[in-house]
Amino acid sequence: AVEAAVEAAERLAAEAAVAEAERLEAEATAREGVEDAQLAVERAAAAADGRSASGPVSATPTRIAAEPSEEEVASFRFAGVRARPRKGIVAAWKSDETYLKPPGSCGTRWPHLSLSVSVECCERCHIYILDTCA
């Protein structure tokens, strides 16, 4: 009877070890799936930025900010100064300048935002907006 109990205990321990090993393997597979998904996102972001996605991916991946920085927000406006006579502000038009928003700098980079470009008070300027905007 003691031998039967020992055999039963050994069998249960072996089954528990196998179940634990299967659980750990399933977790490792799930982690690999998440890492593969993160790699795909990084490569898509690299392609959106115009960088090569075929090269090796660094250990510390480059992340695109969820929101544009203050400097980037300022780049969505190209304007001179509008005259406001009641406030004593004299018009100062931009003249003979070039404004460029390259591909991947507006809606392609932040598709979840409704970005627009404001252009005003310009004369003889060349305006090039080469990305999607709202």
Side-chain angles (χ1 to χ4, degrees):
V2 173
E3 292 176 358
V6 170
E7 287 177 12
E10 289 175 351
R11 189 173 50 248
L12 287 174
E15 289 173 1
V18 168
E20 180 67 12
E22 290 174 348
R23 185 185 67 77
L24 291 173
E25 183 180 14
E27 283 181 7
T29 302
R31 260 194 312 275
E32 289 173 4
V34 168
E35 290 170 0
D36 289 344
Q38 288 173 338
L39 178 62
V41 168
E42 291 167 15
R43 288 181 188 247
D49 283 345
R51 295 176 285 147
S52 171
S54 60
V57 177
S58 66
T60 55
T62 302
R63 301 278 184 221
I64 294 178
E67 302 287 326
S69 68
E70 288 181 32
E71 181 180 337
E72 289 168 318
V73 169
S75 76
F76 295 124
R77 179 169 169 76
F78 182 74
V81 178
R82 184 184 306 209
R84 301 177 91 186
R86 290 184 188 176
K87 293 188 177 184
I89 298 173
V90 179
W93 288 66
K94 285 194 179 277
S95 180
D96 299 315
E97 294 185 35
T98 299
Y99 175 74
L100 169 67
K101 283 306 284 178
S105 63
C106 296
T108 304
R109 189 166 190 176
W110 293 286
H112 59 286
L113 299 176
S114 179
L115 297 174
S116 61
V117 175
S118 173
V119 178
E120 62 181 344
C121 300
C122 301
E123 60 184 2
R124 295 184 312 273
C125 292
H126 301 279
I127 312 296
Y128 303 98
I129 301 171
L130 306 176
D131 199 6
T132 59
C133 297

